[in-house]
Amino acid sequence: MSLKQKRPHVADIRARKQRGEKLSMLYVTTTDEAAAAAAAGIDLLSIEAKDFTPEMREAAGACFVQVGLTPPTKGTVDGKLLVTAEHFLEAAYKYTAIGGDCFYCAASFEIQKAMCDNHIPIVAHVGLVPSYITWTGWRAVGKSAAEALAMWQQLQRLEEAGCFAVELEVVPARITEFFAKNTSMVYFSLGSGSGGDVQYLFAEDVLGYGRTRLPRHAKAYRDFKAEFDRLNGERVAAFSEFRADVGSGAYPADEHSVAISDAEFEKFLNGVEKR
């Protein structure tokens, strides 16, 4: 059976939600991370479109892959940036051909609906949405009844539009559990409690090498930062030793060079002298 046949489909993920299974999901940025996630049996991966290549798809193995779509950064009409459903549809078709299984899209509702109408499996984003952070600030969303109700109305609208799943970020656990039990969508919980169908973390947080403070909701299972710092120290030391060897003539030594016999070198010199 080919790898492509082994990979789960949207129907499989939905069926696992219905069975009450809890799935694991990681945001990865390198082929090494994708391959390690696949070897560990991680269920879903999130990969930004800019990082999603055939090599990444191959490394992801049997993982169900969400490709993160972003608005265009160039392409204007009358000097204004043009953000349309066509842009997102074109990108989705491109990454479907590579092997994307579903697509994260935090664009307008109209764009999300247009993609659903074209049978693209869409993952929306509700709660703390970093691309719209100016509206809420860096805080939990839904701790008040009014905010929770606003999200509930938004989620019902997304479900009616045909969204396959929703990334729910930093939302109270009881609210997440209610949402997951009362809509058909699959919920990717990023700091939103155990009530979600999928538990979602960034690989950099799990491995402990993030450049920023570990988020409250994350758990570091290893301290890669200390190991990376140690390796970088070794890298600097090795480079310094190389520079010193070059300066002293210790490198390259005879074993690093190609030899020529005395006889052949003598012939070479004789040939040079005859010119």
Side-chain angles (χ1 to χ4, degrees):
M1 183 180 291
S2 70
L3 182 61
K4 187 174 182 181
Q5 290 174 310
K6 290 181 181 178
R7 278 166 40 203
H9 303 291
V10 168
D12 300 314
I13 302 299
R14 282 176 163 166
R16 295 180 72 176
K17 170 188 171 78
Q18 292 301 315
R19 292 196 295 267
E21 296 182 37
K22 297 297 184 180
L23 308 182
S24 56
M25 181 175 187
L26 287 174
Y27 175 97
V28 300
T29 59
T30 69
T31 54
D32 285 345
E33 287 179 347
I42 296 296
D43 300 296
L44 298 89
L45 295 183
S46 177
I47 303 174
E48 289 291 327
K50 63 182 178 60
D51 298 322
F52 191 60
T53 62
E55 292 74 22
M56 280 290 272
R57 176 63 266 184
E58 182 68 23
C63 297
F64 184 89
V65 172
Q66 166 190 280
V67 179
L69 303 181
T70 56
T73 56
K74 59 183 179 179
T76 61
V77 173
D78 296 329
K80 295 182 180 180
L81 187 65
L82 182 64
V83 180
T84 67
E86 285 72 21
H87 161 80
F88 286 93
L89 282 167
E90 181 180 1
Y93 291 139
K94 171 185 175 181
Y95 294 113
T96 294
I98 294 176
D101 298 305
C102 69
F103 297 90
Y104 169 92
C105 178
S108 70
F109 174 79
E110 288 72 23
I111 288 176
Q112 291 171 322
K113 185 177 187 309
M115 297 188 71
C116 293
D117 288 345
N118 281 274
H119 312 291
I120 305 294
I122 291 301
V123 180
H125 196 163
V126 174
L128 173 63
V129 185
S131 55
Y132 305 140
I133 199 63
T134 189
W135 294 99
T136 59
W138 295 97
R139 64 170 179 82
V141 179
K143 293 178 72 173
S144 71
E147 278 193 344
L149 284 168
M151 282 193 293
W152 174 238
Q153 292 164 2
Q154 183 181 4
L155 289 166
Q156 288 179 305
R157 193 179 182 201
L158 291 168
E159 182 179 34
E160 290 172 2
C163 287
F164 150 64
V166 178
E167 179 182 330
L168 209 59
E169 186 166 353
V170 196
V171 169
R174 286 195 293 176
I175 298 298
T176 298
E177 184 176 10
F178 177 87
F179 291 162
K181 286 183 176 179
N182 289 280
T183 64
S184 63
M185 294 180 292
V186 177
Y187 283 82
F188 300 170
S189 172
L190 184 61
S192 297
S194 61
D197 307 299
V198 178
Q199 289 301 317
Y200 179 18
L201 286 178
F202 280 42
E204 66 179 50
D205 291 332
V206 172
L207 298 176
Y209 71 84
R211 295 181 181 178
T212 58
R213 179 178 61 85
L214 187 73
R216 175 182 174 178
H217 63 262
K219 180 178 179 179
Y221 289 80
R222 293 293 185 275
D223 186 4
F224 271 38
K225 184 179 185 305
E227 183 65 11
F228 286 161
D229 288 345
R230 183 191 71 79
L231 288 172
N232 191 57
E234 289 294 302
R235 176 163 42 216
V236 172
F239 291 171
S240 297
E241 291 171 20
F242 165 63
R243 178 184 57 80
D245 278 358
V246 170
S248 69
Y251 179 85
D254 288 345
E255 63 266 28
H256 306 122
S257 304
V258 177
I260 185 172
S261 68
D262 291 343
E264 290 300 318
F265 187 63
E266 189 66 30
K267 288 179 183 180
F268 164 72
L269 292 178
N270 289 337
V272 171
E273 291 173 358
K274 289 178 181 179
R275 290 186 59 183

